[in-house]
Amino acid sequence: MTKIVDHIRNAGDKTIFSIEVIPPIKGDNLKNLLDNIEPLIEFKPPFIDVTYHREEYIERPEPDGTIRKIVTRKRPGTVGICSAIMHRFGVDPVPHVLCGGFTKEETEDFLIDLQYLGIDNVLVLRGDPAKPFKDFKPKENGHAYASELVEQVCSMNQGVYLHEGETALSPTDFCIGVAAYPEKHFEALDHDTDFKYLKLKIDKGADYIVTQMFFDNSKYFDFVRRCREAGIHVPIIPGLKPLSTRKQLEVLPRIFHLQMPEDLIKAVQACENDQQARQVGIEWCIQQSRELMAAGAPVLHYYTMGKSDNIVKIAREVF
Ligand code: FAD
């Protein structure tokens, strides 16, 4: 497998196309996901990210009137999907690895499984709070921040496992990506604090950054400039999502803590239905992509959210 940073190096001045997919809801068919990836292979993504979804706590009414508390995982299968992507498309998968819901030992075992599968790229994340809770709480003996998880992966890369000391004959060799937020992570006090902790992830050994989605390229350009000023010199991959329904004008800013540009708001408000809004989203994303590509973005990384028809239309215009 090729490391993401090597894919970027090998591409030279050319911007790479890549995507993120999410596992299907439990009980759904993997075929739908693979069928949605298939038409995008034409644009030669060297890697595909697969999200990880932690457990959720739900309450289920029982026939006797009591409420049963259940811990369930709605979208399992990240590692299996990574394996399917490798075998079906010959593309390097990038599984997301979370602090949330894992002890350090479970993380170590998870990473060993990835190593055995020949997967050498990971996107390391803290994860959000387990639903329905508001605050993120690490599992006992788990990591509280992504920087700690970066440190664990780097230790394994040096052959140092948790309880075995420096005896590993086969150190792992992971290329490590981390997340960042051009419009600030919602919990951070201010941009400076957020930058301090992003720098910590890089200083601990992360190799590249993938950003949260944004709809205003100036946010990305400012972010890259500030990273460089702060001494962060790793590749910064912009994450892009084409808006696809009218409702997303309200939903995306609320969930992802971002601002929609006025022009996009006006264009979507003028739409009579979601089909028109989807078209506006495609056109907006094409403009964003072209400008980012012209500015030398190393990769354009599209959040597919399980559907690919709009990404195909964008990629046809841009790549
Ligand atoms: P961190 O880098 O740990 O930062 C979290 C917060 O803590 C920030 O506010 C930061 O400023 C602060 N902080 C960091 N270190 C410290 C410290 N040492 N002391 C005090 N404060 C600190 N979620 C999923 O559940 N599954 C996914 O697959 C997934 N994929 C994602 C992919 C991308 C590209 C992005 C941008 C996000 C993704 N997320 C995913 C969401 C992510 O898990 C959340 O945004 C989460 O709230 C933060 O994760 P992080 O890795 O950025 O956290």
Side-chain angles (χ1 to χ4, degrees):
M1 262 185 89
T2 308
K3 295 193 165 51
I4 302 308
V5 287
D6 291 329
H7 279 304
I8 292 173
R9 208 169 291 130
N10 297 342
D13 291 340
K14 230 175 134 216
T15 301
I16 291 171
F17 168 79
S18 82
I19 57 166
E20 177 193 280
V21 299
I22 59 176
I25 296 267
K26 185 154 50 189
D28 203 350
N29 200 323
L30 183 62
K31 186 176 177 302
N32 289 340
L33 175 66
L34 299 178
D35 286 353
N36 268 285
I37 296 176
E38 184 95 58
L40 294 167
I41 296 301
E42 170 190 347
F43 307 104
K44 303 192 169 41
F47 65 94
I48 295 178
D49 274 54
V50 185
T51 57
Y52 195 94
H53 298 261
R54 62 175 301 178
E55 77 285 6
E56 294 180 23
Y57 296 79
I58 57 170
E59 296 185 341
R60 184 151 295 165
E62 293 290 291
D64 64 2
T66 58
I67 300 285
R68 190 155 62 102
K69 290 192 173 163
I70 299 172
V71 184
T72 183
R73 195 180 297 277
K74 284 192 180 162
R75 294 180 185 272
T78 298
V79 177
I81 293 169
C82 285
S83 177
I85 287 173
M86 282 164 87
H87 289 105
R88 170 121 171 225
F89 303 114
V91 171
D92 291 338
V94 184
H96 292 188
V97 182
L98 302 185
C99 302
F102 283 85
T103 65
K104 292 174 191 166
E105 284 77 10
E106 287 163 347
T107 296
E108 187 172 270
D109 294 348
F110 184 80
L111 291 164
I112 288 170
D113 272 342
L114 298 182
Q115 183 197 29
Y116 289 171
L117 277 167
I119 294 173
D120 283 339
N121 294 293
V122 284
L123 189 76
V124 163
L125 302 141
R126 187 197 69 178
D128 281 323
K131 283 181 193 154
F133 303 110
K134 276 205 170 134
D135 296 324
F136 176 85
K137 282 213 173 58
K139 207 166 170 182
E140 202 182 327
N141 197 32
H143 296 298
Y145 297 107
S147 55
E148 299 171 3
L149 181 46
V150 170
E151 210 170 355
Q152 182 177 7
V153 182
C154 285
S155 290
M156 289 176 70
N157 279 352
Q158 283 155 21
V160 182
Y161 285 65
L162 285 175
H163 307 300
E164 281 70 21
E166 297 180 35
T167 55
L169 294 175
S170 173
T172 57
D173 191 20
F174 289 109
C175 173
I176 305 168
V178 288
Y181 307 82
E183 298 181 60
K184 192 179 84 58
H185 184 260
F186 69 102
E187 290 168 26
L189 277 180
D190 50 37
H191 276 287
D192 286 342
T193 316
D194 219 12
F195 262 99
K196 183 171 93 181
Y197 294 125
L198 175 60
K199 174 103 174 29
L200 183 65
K201 292 194 273 194
I202 307 304
D203 291 346
K204 296 254 185 211
D207 299 293
Y208 70 99
I209 292 168
V210 185
T211 77
Q212 183 57 278
M213 66 181 76
F214 54 88
F215 292 85
D216 174 354
N217 283 352
S218 71
K219 309 274 185 198
Y220 170 81
F221 295 135
D222 283 352
F223 174 74
V224 173
R225 182 182 47 76
R226 291 189 65 178
C227 281
R228 301 313 181 214
E229 283 169 9
I232 297 174
H233 296 295
V234 298
I236 302 175
I237 299 177
L240 293 167
K241 176 186 152 36
L243 179 137
S244 53
T245 62
R246 286 174 294 176
K247 205 168 165 223
Q248 286 183 355
L249 262 194
E250 177 269 319
V251 171
L252 297 177
R254 180 161 47 78
I255 295 185
F256 297 106
H257 307 274
L258 48 85
Q259 280 182 341
M260 288 286 179
E262 273 305 311
D263 287 352
L264 179 58
I265 295 174
K266 278 189 198 141
V268 176
Q269 280 172 343
C271 293
E272 284 166 13
N273 52 45
D274 279 344
Q275 208 184 335
Q276 287 179 5
R278 198 170 178 84
Q279 188 54 32
V280 167
I282 290 169
E283 283 161 21
W284 188 271
C285 195
I286 289 171
Q287 296 311 323
Q288 269 196 284
S289 303
R290 284 185 175 145
E291 191 182 20
L292 290 164
M293 195 185 251
V299 180
L300 298 183
H301 187 64
Y302 295 92
Y303 298 119
T304 65
M305 308 252 176
K307 290 267 189 316
S308 64
D309 61 298
N310 50 357
I311 312 288
V312 170
K313 287 181 183 153
I314 294 160
R316 281 228 169 95
E317 294 296 321
V318 178
F319 287 90

